[in-house]
Amino acid sequence: MTHPRPTADHRGFTMIELMITITIIGVLAALAIYGVGRYLASSKSAEAKTGVGAISRGAQAAFEREMAAAQGVTEGSTSSASSHRLCGTAVLVPLAVPKAKKYQPSTKDGEDYSTGDSQSGWKCLKFYQSEPTYYQYGYAMDGSPMAPDNPAKCATACYEAGARGDLNANGIESQFARTGHINAATGRLKASTQIYVEREFE
């Protein structure tokens, strides 16, 4: 007695075909996970770049304003000349780098971004953040504490706007910084061409 041969309609998948399909799905899933992780890390580092850019713009705007110390001028005399100068150093916000968490800045006067005065700190820069952040932000006059390895780091007659983060809490910090230097000959302030970035996704 002969048995009919199976037709193509009744034929199942072979083990090799199943293994190839599973391998392809695995590779695509791995690529998707990597891509999504990279996208999320990029969106977080965009926060730091935006913040550093805003601080730098605040420093340049403050320098362009003519500043003069408050003084009482006697009748028939003139005040001391106003000048262009950099805002003094601001406190770090927060004091420690957040580790894979967000920090909610305080909105109270005298805390976080509500510190300083017309000559120094965040109030001088007119920089403020009320949204939770992944990064520690800083501004320094005549120094580069946030990114000491920056080739365009600040030493004298300059400022540094910076951010530091530890997105995966491994103790290795990412650094972002933009500096500006006063040209001694012209008295003008020039910012670096771009934001310095080190270990962006750490």
Side-chain angles (χ1 to χ4, degrees):
M1 180 174 178
T2 60
H3 295 285
R5 300 177 80 184
T7 64
D9 292 340
H10 296 88
R11 186 173 165 265
F13 291 107
T14 66
M15 185 62 89
I16 292 175
E17 289 172 333
L18 286 173
M19 294 289 285
I20 290 172
T21 303
I22 290 170
T23 302
I24 291 171
I25 291 171
V27 169
L28 291 174
L31 290 172
I33 290 169
Y34 174 79
V36 169
R38 196 74 165 178
Y39 171 77
L40 292 174
S42 295
S43 66
K44 290 175 182 176
S45 68
E47 174 209 306
K49 293 174 184 176
T50 301
V52 168
I55 296 168
S56 180
R57 287 190 298 275
Q60 293 174 62
F63 182 80
E64 293 302 320
R65 296 192 300 263
E66 290 191 342
M67 295 187 183
Q71 60 184 114
V73 182
T74 58
E75 294 180 11
S77 62
T78 59
S79 67
S80 60
S82 59
S83 62
H84 296 282
R85 57 187 216 194
L86 294 169
C87 293
T89 300
V91 298
L92 295 174
V93 180
L95 294 176
V97 175
K99 298 189 179 298
K101 296 178 181 177
K102 282 189 169 187
Y103 174 75
Q104 175 62 61
S106 172
T107 57
K108 294 179 182 175
D109 191 42
E111 295 182 9
D112 290 345
Y113 298 108
S114 297
T115 55
D117 53 35
S118 63
Q119 306 291 316
S120 65
W122 299 112
K123 287 185 177 179
C124 177
L125 295 165
K126 299 188 184 300
F127 178 81
Y128 186 81
Q129 287 198 103
S130 59
E131 296 293 322
T133 60
Y134 282 106
Y135 295 88
Q136 175 192 61
Y137 292 93
Y139 165 84
M141 182 177 76
D142 298 341
S144 277
M146 300 299 280
D149 296 328
N150 183 356
K153 68 182 179 181
C154 167
T156 56
C158 54
Y159 74 84
E160 177 197 62
R164 298 184 103 162
D166 189 356
L167 298 177
N168 50 17
N170 65 355
I172 301 172
E173 296 177 354
S174 54
Q175 301 175 1
F176 303 80
R178 191 170 189 199
T179 54
H181 296 81
I182 299 172
N183 185 319
T186 63
R188 301 303 299 262
L189 177 66
K190 294 192 317 176
S192 57
T193 56
Q194 61 186 15
I195 295 174
Y196 168 78
V197 179
E198 186 174 343
R199 298 183 296 274
E200 181 173 359
F201 302 119
E202 285 296 334

